[in-house]
Amino acid sequence: MNTGDIVWILVSSALVWLMTPGLALFYGGLANRNFASNTVFLSVIVLGIAPLVWVICGYSLAFSGHGLLIGNFKHFLLHGLTYNHSTFGLHIPDAAYMLFQGMFAIITVAIITGSVVGRMNLKAMLLFIPLWLILVYAPLAHMVWGGGILQRMGALDFAGGDVVHISSGISGLTLAILVGRRHRFSSETDTPDNMSNVLIGAALLWFGWFGFNSGSALTINATAILAFINTNIAAAAALTTWFLLDFIKTGKARISAALSGGLVGLVVITPAAGFVTPSSAIIMGILVAPIVYYLADFLQTKFKYDDTLDAFNFHGIGGIVGGILTALFATKDYHGILATGSLKQLGIQLLAIIITIALAAGMTTLIAKLINLWLPLRIPADIERKGIDHELHGEYISMLSSPQFNQHVRAKQKL
């Protein structure tokens, strides 16, 4: 065991944990004031549910056994987990590895909630979260990182392109389609309700992403440094490119647009962070911005799906682009196309993406259909129209959405 590596993985675990409150603020700031509290609450409740599922059976299903698709219950409730040595040949004990990987499960399922905030039945969501972690996240983590079929094939996913971003993006889109589109009102818009929260949330996400990607080296070495550099520079390139595209289109220098570009850059570099050079990371950031910017708008216009806070648009599309570009730009040691001239790695990456999409979409549909046999997936229309924050939560992220504030304004108008 290496003390420095243990410290780094514990710090990285804390950084990845911080991403979920960051996501809550980012989502909450972007959300309409009638469901901003609902948006934040769904990320907060994930902080409670996901670690419990992970400790009880998620880690065991993901990282025990030698199955092609899923592990077993050898480490149920962390039974037999080692705290002073590694069974994976790492410089950190298995308990530290379990902790780090568990943080990924939290942020992944939190991302999904952004697609259906403000209209999904809370009871249904509380059932969906643990079932999805067990039936989608754990098998994918096993297949990619736990010795399963995708790892044996040689699929490259440094920190979660398939496991985190594509799975959550596709699941969010599937759930959004099953739940249905929001009711629209002429008095409401989809413009960000609290730009301060958007900025703070994006900053926490970006900061936490350093632990997300660099920590995935699982040791303090050159790869960890490379992943750290690539994470920052890809996000910077995507932020700049996205801002320019949006400024040309709208004529407005929008903070939300720039930060959205940065987030997409962080997504695209995730599967490639330790496999590509910094110059390639810059190119990846530049390329992903126009692809997501224009493709997301085209798909939503054509297919009319309601991905409320762009979980699919950013994470699903961005993750798919990242997986493909990883095959293109990976260094010679990782069989990238530009470095070797071989298309083999591209075929492996595409197959891994297809398997991830099929599992995420198929199992999300099955879980939602099973829940719907007992509970409606959607809240009643009258509650949605009045605002789920008022009817369900009684708390308000935005002062402007508070009934007390609105009464104060009306009183002043009468004077």
Side-chain angles (χ1 to χ4, degrees), residues 11-317:
V11 170
S12 295
S13 298
L15 288 172
V16 179
W17 181 92
L18 189 63
M19 292 174 71
T20 300
L23 183 71
L25 287 170
F26 183 76
Y27 273 173
L30 290 172
N32 183 282
R33 65 186 58 169
N34 285 329
F35 54 82
S37 295
N38 180 251
T39 302
V40 172
F41 175 82
L42 291 177
S43 291
V44 170
I45 199 64
V46 166
L47 287 171
I49 296 173
L52 293 174
V53 174
W54 189 250
V55 166
I56 292 169
C57 64
Y59 172 75
S60 187
L61 291 173
F63 293 101
S64 64
H66 304 284
L68 290 175
L69 302 179
I70 197 167
N72 55 38
F73 290 101
K74 177 182 178 181
H75 295 301
F76 181 78
L77 278 172
L78 305 186
H79 174 75
L81 188 70
T82 63
Y83 290 79
N84 55 13
H85 73 275
S86 172
T87 60
F88 300 108
L90 303 173
H91 296 159
I92 59 173
D94 287 354
Y97 185 62
M98 179 280 301
L99 180 67
F100 181 65
Q101 289 292 346
M103 301 305 176
F104 283 67
I106 300 172
I107 185 65
T108 304
V109 75
I111 290 169
I112 298 172
T113 65
S115 290
V116 292
V117 290
R119 65 191 189 276
M120 185 164 177
N121 182 355
L122 178 60
K123 294 178 181 178
M125 179 59 81
L126 294 179
L127 285 175
F128 177 84
I129 290 169
L131 289 173
W132 189 88
L133 287 169
I134 293 169
L135 297 176
V136 179
Y137 186 85
L140 269 176
H142 179 79
M143 284 190 279
V144 175
W145 297 323
I149 184 171
L150 297 182
Q151 188 174 52
R152 298 183 196 186
M153 282 169 35
L156 297 177
D157 189 358
F158 189 78
D162 289 307
V163 181
V164 176
H165 297 298
I166 298 178
S167 71
S168 61
I170 294 297
S171 295
L173 174 63
T174 304
L175 198 57
I177 293 171
L178 293 171
V179 172
R181 293 168 58 86
R182 285 170 288 172
H183 296 293
R184 301 290 186 175
F185 304 98
S186 59
S187 61
E188 297 176 1
T189 68
D190 285 330
T191 56
D193 187 53
N194 191 322
M195 278 308 307
S196 295
N197 282 355
V198 174
L199 175 59
I200 295 169
L204 291 175
L205 282 168
W206 196 321
F207 180 63
W209 225 295
F210 294 131
F212 194 90
N213 285 354
S214 185
S216 292
L218 302 175
T219 184
I220 300 177
N221 60 7
T223 301
I225 298 170
L226 175 66
F228 205 117
I229 294 170
N230 285 343
T231 299
N232 196 54
I233 201 65
L239 184 153
T240 304
T241 306
W242 189 290
F243 159 72
L244 291 174
L245 292 171
D246 191 71
F247 186 62
I248 292 170
K249 180 181 178 180
T250 67
K252 304 294 184 182
R254 300 192 301 170
I255 300 170
S256 59
L259 294 175
S260 294
L263 177 61
V264 170
L266 292 166
V267 170
V268 78
I269 199 60
T270 294
F275 303 137
V276 303
T277 64
S279 59
S280 295
I282 293 173
I283 297 172
M284 290 177 70
I286 293 172
L287 289 176
V288 74
I291 293 173
V292 175
Y293 188 90
Y294 291 112
L295 184 58
D297 184 63
F298 169 77
L299 291 175
Q300 283 194 269
T301 301
K302 183 171 181 60
F303 296 104
K304 307 297 183 182
Y305 61 83
D306 188 3
D307 179 18
T308 312
L309 298 175
D310 293 310
F312 167 70
N313 295 336
F314 290 178
H315 298 274
I317 299 175

Side-chain angles (χ1 to χ4, degrees), residues 315-346:
H315 298 274
I317 299 175
I320 291 170
V321 173
I324 294 171
L325 292 183
T326 299
L328 180 64
F329 291 110
T331 58
K332 187 174 182 179
D333 289 342
Y334 299 102
H335 317 294
I337 295 172
L338 293 181
T340 64
S342 171
L343 295 176
K344 180 180 178 181
Q345 191 62 47
L346 177 61

